[in-house]
Amino acid sequence: MKPFIRLTTNYLFILMLIGTYSCGNDDSVTGPMPNEPIKTIYKELVDNPNLTSFTMALDKLVSTKNILNDSTELAISVNTFTVFAPTNDAFDTFLLNNGYDGVEAIDMDNPDDFAFLWSYIHGHITQLETISDMMKEEGSGYLTTFTDDGISMFFNSSNNAITLNGIAMIIEADMYATNGVIHIIDNVIPIPTLTTFIETDPDFSIMNEALENIAVMQGSTIQEDFTNAIAYSAFIPNNSAFESLYEEGGVNSLIDFPSSIIEDIVEVHMLPNMHFNSGDIEDAIDGTISTLTDDLHVALDDSEFFTLTDPQDRTATIIKTDIMASNGYLHVIDKVLLGN
């Protein structure tokens, strides 16, 4: 058997040489197979003339640039990224609107300029590879940005269009790189406040209607606080929770309730002057959380979900925690709570 093995090995070697020579002289083979990424995210950005302004801004954040330019096996095994890159027109207009005559006008020795650029650039990066098909399949949801605190980004897909924080739209999707993917967008994504998510997430549309109602009818400042307060958090009943309340109350819509009742409903879900995250909820188990009007009892159900029980013994399950805005947290609950 040994001579056969030697002959077979030599034959395969000759075939490999022939194959190598043929490929090297075949004009139709110009590079890697389609969809096989060969460049890092940073290099893909640099090579795209429509993203020059964003790339120049990224160059000012050297550590971030180096992270997005790292294609070592170790780096990729730990981190992959998604970059939502605004076009030159979008980024230049954004800078002008914020008092900067181009990227060159941003002074990185000025702490305010540095913080401004850092927050916006990092707000356009997420630390997972997120392709457009995934966002379309989910319909809507939240991504975690590469900001210091992990601020959320809301995406919504409808009619084949994907929008981010209600402002920016993906106009070119899925530019693959060795360490992630790039989506080109038509606007700079705003740093979100709580209002951003309340107004753009369609599952919060009834709570948004309630906030607008009490602002007009009761002079409530909660809607304004969601935008301007430094710290604020809330438990938000989703639309299904409100629809169940309508059935309980024998009404058809929110405006069938008096505005004073709507105000009471809103206030029992509000946690003013605090950044209240899931860790804080966990610390409160078997105790209470004080809202604007009442105390809510906190527990864990059999499925290890947090629950909140109001003074009327109505219990809501927290079905999503830690939607993080720049000024606080939203947590989604499946039932509308009521005060005394």
Side-chain angles (χ1 to χ4, degrees), residues 1-267:
M1 293 296 290
K2 288 183 179 178
F4 176 77
I5 293 173
R6 189 180 301 113
L7 176 63
T8 302
T9 303
N10 290 340
Y11 178 68
L12 289 173
F13 179 70
I14 291 169
L15 287 178
M16 289 173 64
L17 287 176
I18 293 171
T20 302
Y21 178 81
S22 299
C23 288
N25 289 274
D26 184 352
D27 291 338
S28 67
V29 179
T30 58
M33 295 296 290
N35 299 322
E36 181 183 344
I38 62 171
K39 293 184 286 188
T40 63
I41 287 175
Y42 175 74
K43 289 178 180 175
E44 288 283 358
L45 292 170
V46 167
D47 289 345
N48 192 315
N50 200 29
L51 304 176
T52 303
S53 295
F54 184 77
T55 305
M56 289 173 61
L58 185 59
D59 285 340
K60 287 179 173 284
L61 300 173
V62 178
S63 61
T64 309
K65 164 192 166 180
N66 290 340
I67 290 171
L68 296 180
N69 198 31
D70 191 344
S71 62
T72 61
E73 185 176 344
L74 176 60
I76 295 173
S77 68
V78 175
N79 289 319
T80 56
F81 298 91
T82 300
V83 173
F84 299 90
T87 63
N88 291 335
D89 286 345
F91 202 74
D92 292 344
T93 299
F94 163 76
L95 291 179
L96 284 172
N97 290 340
N98 283 274
Y100 297 98
D101 188 15
V103 177
E104 300 87 347
I106 301 174
D107 180 5
M108 298 304 283
D109 292 328
N110 181 321
D112 291 337
D113 283 13
F114 180 89
F116 169 83
L117 190 64
W118 177 277
S119 59
Y120 271 99
I121 293 294
H122 281 243
H124 286 72
I125 303 170
T126 64
Q127 202 170 353
L128 282 175
E129 183 177 283
T130 305
I131 62 173
S132 59
D133 281 349
M134 183 279 287
M135 289 184 277
K136 290 175 182 176
E137 183 176 348
E138 291 194 14
S140 64
Y142 292 86
L143 306 174
T144 301
T145 64
F146 196 39
T147 49
D148 291 338
D149 297 323
I151 290 175
S152 301
M153 177 195 298
F154 178 69
F155 69 87
N156 191 17
S157 170
S158 60
N159 299 321
N160 274 341
I162 301 173
T163 57
L164 307 161
N165 284 358
I167 294 293
M169 181 183 297
I170 295 177
I171 57 176
E172 185 175 344
D174 301 331
M175 297 167 53
Y176 291 96
T178 55
N179 54 342
V181 65
I182 301 165
H183 307 293
I184 299 178
I185 56 178
D186 67 350
N187 213 328
V188 171
I189 303 169
I191 296 173
T193 64
L194 296 171
T195 296
T196 303
F197 299 139
I198 290 291
E199 290 183 347
T200 59
D201 190 334
D203 209 25
F204 299 156
S205 63
I206 298 178
M207 176 57 87
N208 188 47
E209 181 186 351
L211 289 166
E212 291 175 348
N213 178 285
I214 62 176
V216 173
M217 304 300 295
Q218 301 294 321
S220 170
T221 64
I222 294 175
Q223 187 178 42
E224 182 181 344
D225 291 341
F226 268 20
T227 301
N228 298 322
I230 295 174
Y232 215 100
S233 297
F235 301 106
I236 304 297
N238 58 18
N239 286 351
S240 294
F242 274 102
E243 289 161 1
S244 294
L245 181 67
Y246 298 166
E247 292 182 12
E248 290 180 48
V251 300
N252 296 316
S253 67
L254 187 73
I255 60 173
D256 291 330
F257 293 109
S259 288
S260 59
I261 298 299
I262 297 174
E263 184 174 34
D264 289 342
I265 290 172
V266 169
E267 289 182 345

